[in-house]
């Protein structure tokens, strides 16, 4: 086993280990792929080496008896022909060669199609696992990723799984081809073959340091591309700030610097590959001519044997390029695959704890916070310090306070996006940790100050979170939030697409859609962050009445976070949030 490991290059070993650890392919897939590779190589090698007997048959004047006297192989061919009655002619030999070539093409077609399927499967599986792991991780971890990093990992780095499967499969195809052709050449010209192989191995040693340099450059290129993705995602998210600051030119220059860094590394890699080609071509020509010289001057090759030597050599030469290119690609792919594995491991390590066993069925009495504290980091002021608060059922509770006073932190603690660092939160004397996360969150509906909309239709956005709602429930929720008033004027009605983040709608329209979604979800806890900030006075009054109606129908707990007094004047109780004092 140790000998086999020494024969396999380190980068190939790393790629194999990573694919095994990631479990993107089954043993059945590997076996079937290996069988297709073997069939393709064997049929191709036999088809090519059939040129030798055809040329020998032509050179002998189609005299089978003469060939049988000169060669043991031809003697066996003659015996098989005599026993089976199958004639050995130029036409029959050519037909066998043609059949082998056709079989090779069929096998290679099957290999190519099946490999494409496996590459797609490997990429899809790792992407789905990474996406799922990220969504199931802690909120603090998701916040730390950033949009650019998240998109780069899922779309770019996870694609390395499929690329690695393809690179390893093609390397396996090439190596098996080397073995097949080498075996054939050893049978025809063992001494010349050993000389040529020795020269090729020597060349491989010469280019070894180029591969090491290429690996370092590939790692730098991966990091540079990731930085470019982060830059793009961040700048796009603040494009309004860029325009209002009139810094378009400066941002374009920063992007150009990042793009130039990526381009520079791509050129460095290309130069390394070109250098390998520069060394390989002269050496390949030297190998071929030395082989021809020894074949003629010292070993007395016939024209047929020289021809097959040249054909095999010309077929093997592109395979050498393929090996070098495949190894170079594998270096880069392994770097990406390692980072994808690290991302997946980190996301899984940050999986939200879900030890609860109870199903959340609503609030009968009250939500109670007992000495709850939370701090985002040692360098920051605590967001909440020993907060004690009682939020009664079937009532509207308003929480006010300046920015940074802990209002959003308080809201994130209820669905356990964040966990209290000390103290506890109870629902009807039951700790939140005792409820299953999914059931708890299904019972809480949150409407942020900046509505979160998908780039789909108005109807799909309203139904998000309650896709099974009846049409009557859907219409009622839209009427409560007055969505129907502006939708009726749209040509496509509820099938109108809203653009990314609701970009085709006004702020007030987006807020109404978010409120309709909350009403339709029917959560027993409804959290509203400045729910009427984008509405006019008349709409604000109507929405406040709708919220009151929601409380009456669902017996819900409604928590309103607000800065404006008009938003909370109908609340049953209100309190002021503070970092160090009880709200």
């Amino acid at each position: 086993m140790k000998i086999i490991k020494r024969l396999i290059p380190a980068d190939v070993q790393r790629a194999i280990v990573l694919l095994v650890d990631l479990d993107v392919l089954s043993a059945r897939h590997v076996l079937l792929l290996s069988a297709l590779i073997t069939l393709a190589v064997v049929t191709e090698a036999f088809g090519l080496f059939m040129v030798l007997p055809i040329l020998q048959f032509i050179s002998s004047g189609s005299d089978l008896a003469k060939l049988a006297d000169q060669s043991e192989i031809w003697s066996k061919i003659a015996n098989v022909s005599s026993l089976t009655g199958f004639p050995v002619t130029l036409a029959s030999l050519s037909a066998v060669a043609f059949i082998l070539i056709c079989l090779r093409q069929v096998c290679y077609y099957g290999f190519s199609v099946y490999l494409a399927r496996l590459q797609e499967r490997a990429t899809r599986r790792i992407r789905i696992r990474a996406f799922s792991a990220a969504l199931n991780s802690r909120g603090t971890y998701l916040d730390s990723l950033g949009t650019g990093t998240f998109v780069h990992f899922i779309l770019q780095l996870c694609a390395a799984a499929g690329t690695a499967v393809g690179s390893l499969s093609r390397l396996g195809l090439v190596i098996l081809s080397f073995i097949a052709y080498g075996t054939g050449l050893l049978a025809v010209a063992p001494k010349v073959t050993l000389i040529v192989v020795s020269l090729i191995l020597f060349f491989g040693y010469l280019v070894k340091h180029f591969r090491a340099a290429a690996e370092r450059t590939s790692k730098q290129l991966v990091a540079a591309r990731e930085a470019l993705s982060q830059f793009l995602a961040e700048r796009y998210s603040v494009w309004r700030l860029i325009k209002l600051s009139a810094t378009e030119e400066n941002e374009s220059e920063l992007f150009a610097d990042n793009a130039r860094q990526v381009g520079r590394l791509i050129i460095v890699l290309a130069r390394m590959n070109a250098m390998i080609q520069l060394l390989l071509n002269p050496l390949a020509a030297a190998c071929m001519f030395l082989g021809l010289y020894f074949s003629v001057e010292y070993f007395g090759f016939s024209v047929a044997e020289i021809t097959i030597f040249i054909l095999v050599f010309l077929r093997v030469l592109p395979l050498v390029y393929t090996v070098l290119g495949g190894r170079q690609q594998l270096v880069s792919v392994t770097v990406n695959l390692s980072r994808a594995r690290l991302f997946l491991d980190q996301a899984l390590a940050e999986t939200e704890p879900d030890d609860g066993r109870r199903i959340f069925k609503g609030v009968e009495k009250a939500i109670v916070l007992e000495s709850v504290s939370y701090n985002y980091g040692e360098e920051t002021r605590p967001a909440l310090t020993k907060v004690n608060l009682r939020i009664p059922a079937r009532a509207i509770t308003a929480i006010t306070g300046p920015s940074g006073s802990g209002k959003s932190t308080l809201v994130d603690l209820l669905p356990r996006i964040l966990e209290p660092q000390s103290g506890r939160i109870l629902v009807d004397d039951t700790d939140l940790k005792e409820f299953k996360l999914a059931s708890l969150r299904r019972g809480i509906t949150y409407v942020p100050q900046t509505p979160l909309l998908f780039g789909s239709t108005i109807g799909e956005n309203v139904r998000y979170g309650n896709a099974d709602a009846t049409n009557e429930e859907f219409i009622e929720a839209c009427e409560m939030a007055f969505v129907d008033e502006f939708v009726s004027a749209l040509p496509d009605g509820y099938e109108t697409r809203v653009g990314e983040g609701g970009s085709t709608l006004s702020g007030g329209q987006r807020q109404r859609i978010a409120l309709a979604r909350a009403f339709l979800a029917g959560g027993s806890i409804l959290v509203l962050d400045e729910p009427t900030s984008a509405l006019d006075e008349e709409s604000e009054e109507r929405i406040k009445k709708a919220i009151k109606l929601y409380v009456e129908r669902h017996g819900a707990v409604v928590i309103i976070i607000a800065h404006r007094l008009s938003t909370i004047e109908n609340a049953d109780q209100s309190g002021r949030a503070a970092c160090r004092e009880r709200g």
Side-chain angles (χ1 to χ4, degrees), residues 262-516:
V262 172
R264 184 186 67 80
L265 292 170
I266 290 173
I267 291 171
V268 170
L269 276 177
R271 186 181 295 119
M272 291 177 180
N273 289 330
M275 181 62 70
I276 292 174
Q277 299 283 344
L278 181 64
L279 293 172
L280 179 61
N281 285 326
L283 185 61
C287 288
M288 186 179 71
F289 290 121
L290 281 172
L292 286 174
Y293 176 79
F294 284 110
S295 299
V296 175
E297 294 294 330
Y298 292 95
F299 305 119
F301 270 26
S302 65
V303 173
E305 291 169 328
I306 292 173
T307 302
I308 195 65
F309 175 81
I310 294 174
L311 285 175
V312 172
F313 191 88
L314 292 176
R315 180 67 188 94
V316 167
L317 185 58
L319 298 181
V320 176
Y321 293 131
T322 302
V323 168
L324 294 174
R327 290 284 303 280
Q328 175 59 48
Q329 183 187 46
L330 200 58
V331 168
S332 176
V333 167
T334 304
V335 173
N336 284 345
L337 199 58
S338 298
R339 291 176 66 82
R341 173 60 191 273
L342 179 63
F343 168 74
L344 183 58
D345 287 345
Q346 288 175 338
L348 289 172
E350 293 288 342
T351 299
E352 289 181 307
D354 188 10
D355 302 327
R357 292 292 178 268
R358 301 184 64 169
I359 301 298
F360 180 75
K361 296 180 179 179
V363 184
E364 291 294 328
K365 301 175 184 177
I367 301 170
V368 177
L369 282 73
E370 295 182 350
S371 298
V372 171
S373 298
Y374 189 85
N375 189 358
Y376 286 96
E378 295 181 0
E379 303 299 322
T380 60
R381 199 174 73 170
L384 297 171
T385 303
K386 295 184 177 180
V387 172
N388 293 287
L389 179 64
R390 186 177 187 276
I391 303 173
R394 292 174 293 280
I396 299 174
T397 297
I399 300 175
T400 64
S403 297
S405 60
K407 301 186 301 298
S408 297
T409 303
L410 191 90
V411 168
D412 282 345
L413 289 170
L414 294 179
R416 295 182 61 195
I417 298 296
L418 300 177
E419 298 282 354
Q421 291 165 342
S422 64
R424 60 178 184 163
I425 301 175
L426 306 173
V427 173
D428 298 336
D429 301 322
T430 301
D431 195 307
L432 282 184
K433 293 180 181 179
E434 295 186 27
F435 296 108
K436 293 185 70 67
L437 268 182
S439 71
L440 174 66
R441 290 174 180 173
R442 277 194 291 268
I444 300 174
T445 304
Y446 174 55
V447 180
Q449 183 176 358
T450 302
L452 304 175
L453 300 184
F454 296 99
S456 54
T457 67
I458 293 174
E460 288 170 340
N461 271 287
V462 172
R463 288 183 178 275
Y464 189 79
N466 189 5
D468 298 327
T470 65
N471 192 56
E472 289 75 16
E473 292 171 334
F474 172 81
I475 295 299
E476 182 184 22
C478 290
E479 288 176 348
M480 287 177 66
F482 309 110
V483 173
D484 59 317
E485 290 187 354
F486 72 85
V487 167
S488 61
L490 299 173
D492 296 325
Y494 287 104
E495 295 303 312
T496 302
R497 302 192 72 82
V498 302
E500 184 179 355
S503 58
T504 63
L505 303 175
S506 69
Q509 290 171 335
R510 291 196 293 270
Q511 201 163 41
R512 292 186 192 188
I513 292 172
L515 283 166

Side-chain angles (χ1 to χ4, degrees), residues 220-235:
Q220 295 171 2
L221 182 58
V222 169
R225 281 175 168 159
E226 182 180 340
L228 187 62
S229 296
Q230 291 175 332
F231 180 91
L232 286 171
E234 183 179 72
R235 266 37 180 200

Side-chain angles (χ1 to χ4, degrees), residues 57-308:
F57 190 76
I58 294 171
S59 299
S60 69
S62 303
D63 189 341
L64 183 58
K66 178 181 177 182
L67 288 170
D69 291 336
Q70 295 175 350
S71 168
E72 184 177 347
I73 295 177
W74 274 106
S75 176
K76 292 180 179 179
I77 292 174
N79 290 334
V80 170
S81 175
S82 175
L83 290 172
T84 61
F86 184 79
V88 179
T89 63
L90 181 59
S92 62
L93 291 173
S94 299
V96 171
F98 177 74
I99 291 170
L100 288 171
I101 291 172
C102 290
L103 284 174
R104 183 264 180 190
Q105 291 305 118
V106 170
C107 293
Y108 192 79
Y109 170 82
F111 160 72
S112 300
V113 173
Y114 191 64
L115 176 59
R117 289 179 58 187
L118 291 188
Q119 286 183 271
E120 186 279 329
R121 182 182 187 273
T123 299
R124 172 168 41 85
R125 281 173 62 89
I126 189 65
R127 276 179 175 163
I128 292 171
R129 286 166 59 192
F131 182 79
S132 178
L135 287 187
N136 285 288
S137 64
R138 300 174 192 271
T140 50
Y141 174 72
L142 276 172
D143 278 338
S144 70
L145 282 179
T147 305
T149 301
F150 178 72
V151 172
H152 180 72
F153 274 120
I154 302 298
L155 293 185
Q156 300 298 325
L157 297 188
C158 288
T163 307
V165 170
S167 296
L168 288 172
S169 299
R170 293 185 183 94
L171 279 175
L173 179 69
V174 170
I175 291 169
L176 198 58
S177 297
F178 274 127
I179 294 172
Y181 289 131
T183 302
L185 279 181
L186 277 172
V188 175
K191 294 181 180 179
V192 175
T193 302
L194 291 174
I195 292 172
V196 173
V197 169
S198 299
L199 290 171
I200 291 175
L201 291 176
F202 175 69
F203 171 73
Y205 176 78
L206 289 178
V207 300
K208 184 177 181 180
H209 79 281
F210 285 103
R211 289 203 302 271
E215 182 173 358
R216 292 192 297 271
T217 305
S218 294
K219 290 179 180 179
Q220 295 171 2
L221 182 58
V222 169
R225 281 175 168 159
E226 182 180 340
L228 187 62
S229 296
Q230 291 175 332
F231 180 91
L232 286 171
E234 183 179 72
R235 266 37 180 200
Y236 183 76
S237 67
V238 296
W239 65 266
R240 281 187 173 84
L241 174 62
I242 293 172
K243 282 186 173 295
L244 293 173
S245 304
T247 56
E248 293 93 337
E249 185 175 347
N250 183 56
E251 292 297 337
S252 295
E253 290 177 1
L254 289 173
F255 176 76
D257 290 340
N258 280 275
R260 275 193 290 269
Q261 175 66 5
V262 172
R264 184 186 67 80
L265 292 170
I266 290 173
I267 291 171
V268 170
L269 276 177
R271 186 181 295 119
M272 291 177 180
N273 289 330
M275 181 62 70
I276 292 174
Q277 299 283 344
L278 181 64
L279 293 172
L280 179 61
N281 285 326
L283 185 61
C287 288
M288 186 179 71
F289 290 121
L290 281 172
L292 286 174
Y293 176 79
F294 284 110
S295 299
V296 175
E297 294 294 330
Y298 292 95
F299 305 119
F301 270 26
S302 65
V303 173
E305 291 169 328
I306 292 173
T307 302
I308 195 65

